[in-house]
Amino acid sequence: MFAKMYDWIDERLNITPIWRDIADYEVPAHVNPANKMSAFVYCFGGLTFLIIVTQILSGMFLALYYVPDIVNAYKSVDYITNEVLLGNIVRGMHFWGASLVIIMMFLHMLRVFFTGSYKAPRELNWVVGVLIFLVVMAFGFTGYLLPWDQKAYWATAVGTNIAGSVPIIGPYIRTLLVGGDTLGALTLTRFFAIHVFFLPAFLLVLLAAHFYMIRKQGISGPL
Amino acid sequence: MAEHYRERIPGTPRFKRDKEYPPGTEPFFPNFLLKEWIVGAMFLVGFILWVIFNPVGLEKVANPEDTTFIPVPDWYFLFLYQLLKYFPGKYVVFGTVVIPAIATLALLLAPWLDRRKERHPFKRPIATATMVLSVLFMIWLTYVAAEEHKAELAKQGPQATTPGGQQGTASGPVVDPEDEGAKLYAQSCSGCHGPNLEGSFGPSLLGIGNRMNAAQLSDVISKGFPPKMPARGGLQSDEQVKKVAEWLAKQKQK
Ligand code: HEM
């Protein structure tokens, strides 16, 4: 039945070439750990993506309960942790996943760097990669405030003060982030919006560009 | 061995015509993706086990009055945080802007800084050495920052390190013992929090003024912690709660 359904859609939209283009891509021997174990370094990018997917999924489930205001943020995270069925697991995945994304992304970047894969013609993809790196760091910075506990509050207070100490533009950046003079209700809603709407949008666009370029240019050849 | 890689897993024929590919290559889907997925699944299992055995905690709710809390960023920002400490006073721009900007730009522009065709890491010693040294430097900064944070926590004493501040070790004189609040305290609260605020059944309230102001204290006392502490702490009226709260807010310790 599924074959029939697929044919029905394919007749109308001709979707086979789209996915076949990716499916028939010949994976070269030098990136395949089945050929040579040391090729596992080429898995880091894929594993980073896997953890990004789990971050998005766990984040979506956290957002079912999380309330971004200063009275309820802490209570809602407390509720997720102690009351919601498997809430502590979902929160744990999101919390530890944040660190894991950064570790895997860093290892992936080192692989690309040490194999010289950023060289022509892949310069643009390297630039996109560095931007992804910055976006993920921004995810970490904004997400850290959301539980609205002591460590969240004071880490963000210090972070935004450091941003404020930058000459000339610093005070403007700080006001933009904090939404006023003191860390409070506006800061939390800002960080929440940045963490959950702005950054995911940037990240998805950048990832699309990243993967498109990889497919277009193929993986870099053996050293 | 190389030959059989080029065969698809049975039942998933090739779509395009077979070209001549070098030995060892295999189609992305489903052959390679299946192996990738096995690796990914093992990775996820390890991750979930880690999550199960390392539950995430939650500290006390954010309290802008409590300036005794020692702030620390998440571990992946520690290297930047530590860098600042080496540029005191007006040189701090080197830590906040100059060095991070140079490092980020160098990373961003790496393809144009190193334009030769050579890719092997040993054949481009400058690029390789710069990256190895930068990574070692970042690891070292992170390590030093973590150690300094630990030392600061130890200096502050166990009160700050136990979330909830249950066992207060701050010891100092009770401020303003003739206040009306002090008398109400003696009647209603001292049984649990000690005649000199030192704590017994309930936690010590010495130095509570460092962490909470009068309004917050009124709030905490009015609600109490049923069943451990009755609402209003056993006091009769909100008026009395306010007096005790104002007196407790004065209990600051160094
Ligand atoms: C669309 C994707 C995402 C959504 C919808 C989302 C949503 C959320 C929500 C609702 C919270 C608050 C709950 C809590 O603190 O436990 C949170 C916290 C957090 N998020 Fe995300 N998030 C996303 C992606 C990411 C990514 C990619 C990172 C990776 C760096 C990240 C890092 C964090 C961190 C560090 C926290 C604080 C966790 C804690 O202390 O408990 N998030 N996120």
Side-chain angles (χ1 to χ4, degrees):
Chain A
M1 190 190 66
F2 285 114
K4 274 216 178 111
M5 266 162 68
Y6 178 84
D7 288 342
W8 190 88
I9 296 173
D10 198 34
E11 263 166 39
R12 272 142 255 258
L13 294 169
N14 194 23
I15 54 176
T16 299
I18 302 173
W19 67 268
R20 274 299 185 179
D21 171 59
I22 297 164
D24 285 333
Y25 177 75
E26 290 289 327
V27 178
H30 72 284
V31 308
N32 194 334
N35 281 349
K36 208 164 121 221
M37 203 46 215
S38 63
F40 72 91
V41 293
Y42 287 88
C43 285
F44 291 158
L47 292 178
T48 312
F49 182 63
L50 188 66
I51 296 298
I52 295 259
V53 171
T54 67
Q55 280 308 91
I56 292 176
L57 290 175
S58 56
M60 282 170 9
F61 279 95
L62 289 175
L64 293 179
Y65 293 94
Y66 180 76
V67 186
D69 77 54
I70 52 173
V71 180
N72 294 308
Y74 179 83
K75 290 184 196 157
S76 65
V77 176
D78 193 40
Y79 186 74
I80 292 170
T81 317
N82 297 316
E83 304 289 334
V84 178
L85 178 68
L86 293 182
N88 54 349
I89 297 293
V90 174
R91 178 157 178 248
M93 280 175 71
H94 203 72
F95 177 86
W96 290 114
S99 295
L100 198 58
V101 168
I102 288 178
I103 294 172
M104 295 314 297
M105 188 176 62
F106 198 76
L107 292 175
H108 171 60
M109 188 206 74
L110 289 181
R111 189 286 283 172
V112 174
F113 187 87
F114 287 126
T115 59
S117 305
Y118 55 84
K119 301 199 167 198
R122 299 186 178 77
E123 302 96 322
L124 278 182
N125 216 3
W126 171 264
V127 170
V128 167
V130 176
L131 294 181
I132 291 178
F133 198 110
L134 299 178
V135 167
V136 172
M137 295 295 266
F139 260 116
F141 183 65
T142 51
Y144 207 59
L145 178 68
L146 300 180
W148 200 252
D149 61 0
Q150 283 282 68
K151 85 178 164 18
Y153 184 91
W154 291 104
T156 308
V158 172
T160 51
N161 282 342
I162 291 172
S165 74
V166 171
I168 308 166
I169 52 170
Y172 298 102
I173 299 177
R174 196 185 115 90
T175 311
L176 190 72
L177 286 173
V178 172
D181 282 338
T182 44
L183 223 63
L186 279 172
T187 322
L188 185 58
T189 48
R190 268 171 205 229
F191 273 51
F192 177 73
I194 294 173
H195 188 83
V196 174
F197 297 109
F198 290 66
L199 292 176
F202 294 151
L203 186 67
L204 291 182
V205 169
L206 288 171
L207 283 177
H210 202 61
F211 294 146
Y212 175 76
M213 284 192 254
I214 296 168
R215 177 66 195 92
K216 199 83 179 168
Q217 302 179 318
I219 199 99
S220 54
L223 280 182
Chain B
M1 170 142 159
E3 278 311 304
H4 85 261
Y5 276 117
R6 294 168 56 199
E7 295 303 320
R8 263 181 202 283
I9 290 171
T12 54
R14 236 171 244 272
F15 176 67
K16 285 193 229 155
R17 263 167 295 106
D18 218 342
K19 286 194 226 133
E20 258 325 297
Y21 289 107
T25 60
E26 66 176 338
F28 180 71
F29 179 88
N31 302 34
F32 187 68
L33 199 67
L34 181 70
K35 288 178 196 160
E36 285 246 283
W37 178 242
I38 294 169
V39 174
M42 285 180 343
F43 187 72
L44 278 184
V45 168
F47 176 55
I48 294 292
L49 285 177
W50 175 275
V51 167
I52 290 173
F53 289 108
N54 294 279
V56 191
L58 192 59
E59 302 203 350
K60 283 203 150 182
V61 65
N63 178 0
E65 298 294 322
D66 176 10
T67 48
T68 60
F69 192 85
I70 302 173
V72 66
D74 212 354
W75 67 268
Y76 42 86
F77 284 116
L78 280 179
F79 72 102
L80 277 175
Y81 188 55
Q82 185 66 17
L83 191 63
L84 298 183
K85 297 189 193 160
Y86 300 116
F87 298 99
K90 65 178 197 272
Y91 296 110
V92 76
V93 278
F94 284 95
T96 52
V97 186
V98 180
I99 295 179
I102 291 176
T104 311
L105 275 181
L107 196 66
L108 204 62
L109 299 180
W112 292 276
L113 293 174
D114 171 20
R115 314 175 73 132
R116 288 174 309 133
K117 281 245 152 27
E118 204 51 73
R119 282 182 44 214
H120 196 285
F122 294 156
K123 293 192 182 134
R124 34 190 196 99
I126 298 182
T128 304
T130 313
M131 183 53 101
V132 170
L133 289 179
S134 312
V135 172
L136 289 180
F137 186 51
M138 282 163 75
I139 294 175
W140 180 76
L141 282 176
T142 307
Y143 170 77
V144 175
E147 287 297 310
E148 284 185 9
H149 181 63
K150 243 193 274 170
E152 264 182 273
L153 283 182
K155 215 165 57 190
Q156 206 188 37
Q159 183 191 24
T161 46
T162 45
Q166 291 291 334
Q167 312 90 15
T169 49
S171 58
V174 174
V175 180
D176 209 356
E178 299 306 318
D179 190 278
E180 205 179 330
K183 301 204 175 90
L184 290 165
Y185 176 87
Q187 288 164 15
S188 182
C189 325
S190 58
C192 292
H193 291 286
N196 296 311
L197 299 174
E198 72 277 22
S200 63
F201 169 66
S204 162
L205 298 179
L206 280 167
I208 190 85
N210 295 350
R211 290 196 285 122
M212 295 193 216
N213 62 23
Q216 290 168 324
L217 278 163
S218 301
D219 200 44
V220 169
I221 299 165
S222 304
K223 290 203 192 94
F225 296 88
K228 286 180 283 185
M229 167 173 157
R232 288 212 212 94
L235 290 169
Q236 301 306 312
S237 69
D238 290 341
E239 193 56 34
Q240 290 175 324
V241 169
K242 207 168 144 236
K243 287 207 180 97
V244 177
E246 272 161 14
W247 175 68
L248 281 178
K250 285 189 252 168
Q251 307 300 324
K252 294 198 201 289
Q253 300 266 336
K254 274 192 279 309

